[in-house]
């Protein structure tokens, strides 16, 4: 197994090679928030107008009370056997310490659970935040560090009122 291999399923394991995070590859699952130079709004030659900014991600936070949390997680490894989704909110996740991490995702489906053959894994640089589309199946964040801090933007009741989990079939 390579350092970027995610293991799926339990007790039988299938490996997924994590791919690099790009806008095109991640588009079916969400959007990427990237660093940008601070101060652009003060550049008078730029005529900065945030309402016309096309690099902002589109959030769905209207179906509840948005909360921004810092999650402190201990070593999780790169294995998973379940996926979850949120059907009322777009969730944002990012490492706060610049540490690389991984996320397995499957595109939103109307009623069906995520299927193993539709799952993709991404290696996420520590200077990126991902925004998941509403309904995107996900497993993670996963990482190889002893612990990691994550920014998490979702609704206050996401994990109690908007949480659907499915066990992956054992293949």
């Amino acid at each position: 197994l390579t350092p970027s291999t995610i293991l799926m399923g339990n007790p039988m394991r299938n490996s997924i090679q994590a791919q690099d995070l790009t806008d095109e590859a991640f588009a079916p699952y969400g959007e990427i928030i990237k660093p940008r130079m601070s101060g652009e709004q003060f550049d008078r030659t730029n005529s900065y107008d945030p309402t016309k900014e096309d690099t902002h991600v589109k959030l769905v936070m209207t179906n509840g009370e948005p909360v921004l949390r810092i999650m402190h997680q201990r070593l999780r490894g790169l294995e998973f056997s379940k996926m979850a989704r949120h059907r009322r909110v777009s969730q944002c996740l990012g490492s706060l310490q610049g540490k690389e991490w991984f996320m397995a995702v499957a595109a939103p489906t109307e009623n069906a659970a995520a299927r193993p053959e539709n799952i993709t894994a991404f290696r996420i640089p520590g200077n990126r935040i991902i925004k998941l589309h509403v309904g995107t199946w996900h497993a993670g964040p996963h990482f190889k560090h002893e612990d990691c801090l994550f920014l998490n933007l979702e609704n206050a009741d996401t994990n109690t009122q908007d949480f659907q989990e499915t066990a992956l079939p054992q293949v």
Side-chain angles (χ1 to χ4, degrees):
L1 298 176
T2 70
S4 336
T5 300
I6 305 279
L7 297 174
M8 171 180 53
N10 189 13
M12 303 293 287
R13 294 181 176 168
N14 296 313
S15 62
I16 303 172
Q17 186 65 34
Q19 57 184 290
D20 290 334
L21 185 69
T22 66
D23 292 324
E24 298 76 25
F26 198 68
Y29 318 105
E31 297 176 79
I32 304 167
I33 302 169
K34 301 173 190 154
R36 57 186 268 177
M37 290 301 295
S38 178
E40 289 179 9
Q41 67 269 29
F42 303 112
D43 180 355
R44 298 292 180 221
T45 62
N46 188 3
S47 66
Y48 177 77
D49 181 351
T51 63
K52 296 178 181 165
E53 178 64 53
D54 64 352
T55 61
H56 292 306
V57 299
K58 313 309 184 261
L59 299 174
V60 177
M61 305 300 291
T62 56
N63 296 321
E65 178 185 342
V67 293
L68 179 62
R69 297 183 179 109
I70 296 176
M71 300 185 308
H72 182 192
Q73 295 189 337
R74 302 268 182 231
L75 177 64
R76 297 183 73 154
L78 301 179
E79 296 182 25
F80 67 98
S81 60
K82 298 177 186 176
M83 295 191 88
R85 69 174 170 181
H86 312 299
R87 298 177 94 178
R88 297 186 307 137
V89 67
S90 44
Q91 182 179 18
C92 295
L93 291 165
S95 169
L96 290 179
Q97 300 164 303
K99 295 178 180 178
E100 177 181 82
W101 57 288
F102 299 85
M103 179 70 87
V105 291
T109 56
E110 187 57 38
N111 292 315
R115 298 169 45 114
E117 62 270 18
N118 296 332
I119 297 171
T120 303
F122 289 94
R123 178 186 320 104
I124 304 172
N127 65 349
R128 299 288 190 268
I129 297 171
I130 60 168
K131 188 264 331 191
L132 299 174
H133 292 319
V134 172
T136 294
W137 291 98
H138 57 282
H142 293 278
F143 51 91
K144 299 178 283 185
H145 317 288
E146 283 300 313
D147 64 354
C148 203
L149 296 176
F150 287 93
L151 167 140
N152 181 19
L153 176 63
E154 60 189 4
N155 282 336
D157 67 352
T158 294
N159 290 319
T160 57
Q161 301 298 313
D162 186 25
F163 185 84
Q164 181 181 6
E165 184 177 67
T166 186
L168 294 170
Q170 298 179 14
V171 290

